[in-house]
Structures are given as structure tokens and as C-alpha cells.
């Protein structure tokens, strides 16, 4: 650690008089591009950015209108230069990411894990209205292994196979998916997660299986506009609060919602021969029955919520507040 000179202490450079550790924390709040530029301020600053506690790489916006190729080259140089210095937060916020950069993206995520990052944020901002969910960049299918990761936020990516198996992340407590697709994910698994947030994402469009959410220690659950087949919610004995908004593109809809449900034999109803795939376990109510506060938000469609579980929900001594909202346009 370099000690400020007498002139620096007496002069107006109060920031320069701070210890290296404090300056490294401050640099972690800057975009990585700005943090690197501080190397020209003085000899003491030449390498401080390499030990910043957080890396926040931003690209494709007004301040950093770099091409994806330029951004990739910058991040490769950045990580190579800083080596294995420990990280607290690693954030990638890109626009217009393509499949050509996927190998680099997966390497960067694994790099952050090896640097013992506690917080990982990946935000890929694409044009969803034009490109659609099926053109999202795909993360590799290998599970993360980290004894330090406590928070993971994914935006605008497709995850599949074993990536959402977080059994090797024993202190992970916060998990967020936004504008993601996990149609090929059979299970989101974690014994440590306490807060799960899935918004504007696709859980499945395939008949062979539904995505199962196995998080027995979950405290709060937020499912907002999850398209496709409803995920299986396994037992959540610690659940305190749950919010579920059922979108128009939910596939669990009775085809006779406008007529007589009891005469219907569509796939979503519990009378159907194929209902064993979801009967008594795939619907929301069984997994939500332990919640103390529950909000169900639906469009004006008859959504399959296995009637045999309704008494369980309403007789539960846990639930203190049930709000069911139907929006009609």
C-alpha cells in the first residue's frame, strides 16, 4: 500500500489521501470503463482498478456506444489484467449480445465464480418484441459451484439442463429470472434460496414435462407473467408471502372456460387422461398452501387450479390474507 506524501495530505487531494481499500470500494461503484481510466490520474492509481471490489461492465447505451466486439475485447483484457483478485459483485449489462459472444459470456461468469463473487448480475437487453424468446442467448448447461454466491440475477437469457441446479451454491438466497426462458429445465433446485422472482419468462412449451421448483426453504415467491405450462411448486413449508400473476399466454386454460367446466375433457382439466402429469402436484395451490399472505392475479380465463386442493387452501391455518384479482379488458 502506498502512503500519501506530505504534500498530498496538506493539499486538496482528499480522495487521494484515502487508504487503498477505500478507493477500491469507490472504484467498484463506477462502470468498469471509467474505473480503468483512473489509471492515468497518478502513479498510485495505476493499478488500483485491478483490485476494485466490484466490476460493472456496461455497453450499448449512450455513454458507452461500443460494438459488441469492442466490448468483448475490453472485458477479455480487463479480466486478464486483474487476474484472480477477489470480487464482491460482478455485473454485465449489455445490449445486442449475439451467439458469437456466448463462449466469452460463459467464461466471464465462471471467472466471477472463481473470484468468489457474492453477487452476479447478467442483463442482456435485446429487442424481445422483434426477436422473441427463442432467440435468447443460451448459457451453458453446467451448474454453478460456489460457496460464496448469495445473489444471482439473470435477464434476457435462456437457461437449460442442469444450470439451475444450485445445490452446489449453499449460501445462495436471492434468485431472479427476468425475460428468460427455461423450457428445457426440468428442475430449479436449491435448499438455500429464500427469495425467488420470475417475471415475463417462459417455463415450458413441451408436453413431456413441466419445470419443477424445488426450494423447501423459500420465504417469498414472485411469479409474474410466467408463460407456458405452470411450473410444479413442491412443498414450501417456510413460505411467508407469494404473488402469482397468471398471464393470457398461460397454457393451463380450460377450453370450456366460457361454458361448462364439468363437461370439459381438455388437457388442462383434472378429468383429462393426461392430467397425471400435473394432477395434485403441478398446480399452484398445493405449493402455496403454506403462505401467510397470498395474492393470485388472473386475466378473465378459467385457469386449472385442481378443485380438490381448494379446501386445503382455504382451511389452512397459515394463510392470513388471500387476494384474488381478475382483470377484464
Amino acid at each position: 500500500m502506498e502512503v500519501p506524501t506530505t504534500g498530498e495530505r496538506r493539499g486538496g487531494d482528499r480522495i487521494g489521501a484515502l487508504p487503498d481499500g477505500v478507493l477500491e470500494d469507490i472504484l467498484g461503484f463506477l462502470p468498469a470503463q471509467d474505473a480503468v481510466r483512473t489509471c492515468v490520474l497518478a502513479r498510485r492509481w495505476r493499478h488500483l482498478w485491478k483490485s476494485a471490489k466490484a466490476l460493472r461492465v456496461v455497453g450499448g447505451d449512450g455513454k458507452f456506444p461500443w460494438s459488441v466486439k469492442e466490448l468483448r475485447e475490453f472485458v477479455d483484457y480487463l479480466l486478464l489484467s486483474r487476474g484472480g483478485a477477489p470480487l464482491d459483485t460482478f455485473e454485465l449489462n449489455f445490449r445486442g449480445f449475439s451467439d458469437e459472444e456466448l463462449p466469452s459470456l460463459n467464461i466471464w461468469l465462471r471467472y466471477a465464480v472463481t473470484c468468489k463473487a457474492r453477487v452476479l448480475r447478467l442483463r442482456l437487453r435485446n429487442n424481445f418484441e422483434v426477436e422473441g424468446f427463442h432467440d435468447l442467448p443460451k448459457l451453458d448447461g453446467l451448474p454453478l459451484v460456489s460457496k460464496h454466491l448469495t445473489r444471482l440475477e439473470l435477464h434476457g437469457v435462456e437457461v437449460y439442463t442442469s444450470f439451475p441446479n444450485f445445490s452446489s451454491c449453499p449460501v445462495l438466497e436471492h434468485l431472479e429470472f427476468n425475460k428468460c426462458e427455461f423450457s428445457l429445465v426440468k428442475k430449479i433446485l436449491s435448499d438455500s434460496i429464500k427469495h425467488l422472482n420470475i417475471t415475463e419468462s417462459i417455463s415450458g412449451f413441451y408436453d413431456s414435462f413441466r419445470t419443477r421448483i424445488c426450494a423447501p426453504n423459500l420465504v417469498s415467491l414472485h411469479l409474474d407473467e410466467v408463460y407456458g405450462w405452470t411450473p410444479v411448486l413442491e412443498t414450501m413449508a417456510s413460505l411467508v408471502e407469494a404473488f402469482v400473476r397468471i398471464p393470457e399466454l398461460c397454457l393451463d386454460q380450460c377450453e370450456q372456460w366460457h361454458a361448462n367446466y364439468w363437461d370439459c375433457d381438455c388437457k388442462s382439466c383434472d378429468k383429462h387422461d393426461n392430467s397425471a402429469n400435473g394432477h395434485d402436484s403441478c398446480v399452484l395451490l398445493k405449493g402455496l398452501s403454506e403462505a401467510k399472505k397470498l395474492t393470485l392475479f388472473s386475466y378473465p380465463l378459467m385457469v386449472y387450479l385442481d378443485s380438490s386442493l381448494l379446501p386445503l387452501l382455504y382451511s389452512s391455518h397459515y394463510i392470513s390474507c388471500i387476494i384474488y384479482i381478475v382483470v377484464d379488458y
Side-chain angles (χ1 to χ4, degrees):
M1 172 180 173
E2 293 190 28
V3 180
T5 65
T6 303
E8 289 177 332
R9 288 196 296 265
R10 293 176 179 176
D13 186 12
R14 296 187 177 181
I15 293 181
L18 295 172
D20 285 359
V22 175
L23 294 178
E24 291 164 0
D25 286 338
I26 294 174
L27 290 175
F29 289 101
L30 297 176
Q33 294 93 321
D34 287 340
V36 172
R37 291 190 180 110
T38 62
C39 69
V40 301
L41 294 178
R43 186 183 64 178
R44 182 188 175 206
W45 289 81
R46 188 173 301 169
H47 301 292
L48 275 178
W49 64 271
K50 297 179 182 179
S51 302
K53 298 299 190 298
L55 282 182
R56 307 178 193 275
V57 184
V58 180
D61 60 1
K63 185 176 181 180
F64 302 107
W66 297 2
S67 69
V68 175
K69 180 181 178 181
E70 291 173 326
L71 199 59
R72 183 188 65 201
E73 293 175 350
F74 169 75
V75 176
D76 287 341
Y77 170 79
L78 179 72
L79 303 189
L80 182 63
S81 299
R82 72 181 309 277
L87 273 174
D88 180 80
T89 299
F90 186 67
E91 179 176 329
L92 299 173
N93 194 334
F94 295 166
R95 179 179 294 278
F97 210 81
S98 66
D99 288 342
E100 295 180 3
E101 283 73 34
L102 279 179
S104 295
L105 178 63
N106 287 302
I107 291 174
W108 299 340
L109 289 179
R110 304 293 168 175
Y111 167 85
V113 170
T114 60
C115 291
K116 303 178 181 179
R118 295 191 311 110
V119 178
L120 283 180
R121 293 190 181 97
L122 174 59
R123 296 172 180 170
L124 303 185
R125 295 164 288 136
N126 297 300
N127 190 344
F128 294 96
E129 289 75 15
V130 175
E131 299 172 6
F133 279 96
H134 295 291
D135 292 321
L136 295 177
K138 298 178 178 62
L139 299 182
D140 64 35
L142 300 176
L144 293 177
V145 179
S146 172
K147 297 180 180 180
H148 307 277
L149 186 64
T150 62
R151 187 181 192 99
L152 176 63
E153 300 177 15
L154 299 177
H155 178 112
V157 296
E158 179 180 348
V159 297
Y160 65 105
T161 61
S162 299
F163 183 89
N165 180 351
F166 301 108
S167 57
S168 297
C169 298
V171 296
L172 179 64
E173 294 189 351
H174 297 262
L175 178 61
E176 295 186 14
F177 294 98
N178 180 253
K179 289 185 170 64
C180 293
E181 180 181 356
F182 40 96
S183 294
L184 296 177
V185 171
K186 293 187 177 181
K187 182 176 289 189
I188 298 175
L189 174 63
S190 174
D191 289 335
S192 60
I193 289 177
K194 294 183 179 179
H195 308 280
L196 175 61
N197 191 323
I198 305 177
T199 58
E200 297 185 62
S201 298
I202 296 179
S203 66
F205 273 126
Y206 303 97
D207 295 339
S208 58
F209 65 88
R210 296 172 183 263
T211 300
R212 304 181 71 89
I213 298 177
C214 181
N217 295 306
L218 205 64
V219 174
S220 68
L221 174 67
H222 192 98
L223 300 179
D224 194 351
E225 306 243 351
V226 179
Y227 311 115
W229 296 110
T230 306
V232 176
L233 300 183
E234 298 190 0
T235 303
M236 301 174 181
S238 302
L239 192 63
V240 174
E241 183 173 356
F243 175 95
V244 178
R245 187 196 307 267
I246 301 172
E248 290 184 282
L249 294 180
C250 173
L251 297 182
D252 289 297
Q253 298 175 8
C254 175
E255 295 177 0
Q256 300 295 327
W257 67 272
H258 59 288
N260 298 322
Y261 160 72
W262 49 87
D263 294 331
C264 184
D265 192 36
C266 74
K267 183 173 181 179
S268 291
C269 292
D270 51 8
K271 285 184 173 183
H272 194 276
D273 292 338
N274 294 330
S275 63
N277 183 46
H279 183 68
D280 194 43
S281 62
C282 77
V283 294
L284 296 170
L285 297 187
K286 186 173 184 179
L288 299 176
S289 61
E290 303 289 341
K292 295 178 175 61
K293 181 179 180 181
L294 172 61
T295 301
L296 296 177
F297 194 112
S298 176
Y299 289 91
L301 298 170
M302 182 178 290
V303 180
Y304 168 49
L305 298 172
D306 189 353
S307 58
S308 66
L309 295 173
L310 284 172
L312 172 65
L313 181 66
Y314 283 101
S315 64
S316 173
H317 65 279
Y318 293 102
I319 295 180
S320 60
C321 179
I322 301 176
I323 305 171
Y324 185 77
I325 305 172
V326 177
V327 176
D328 194 359
Y329 292 101

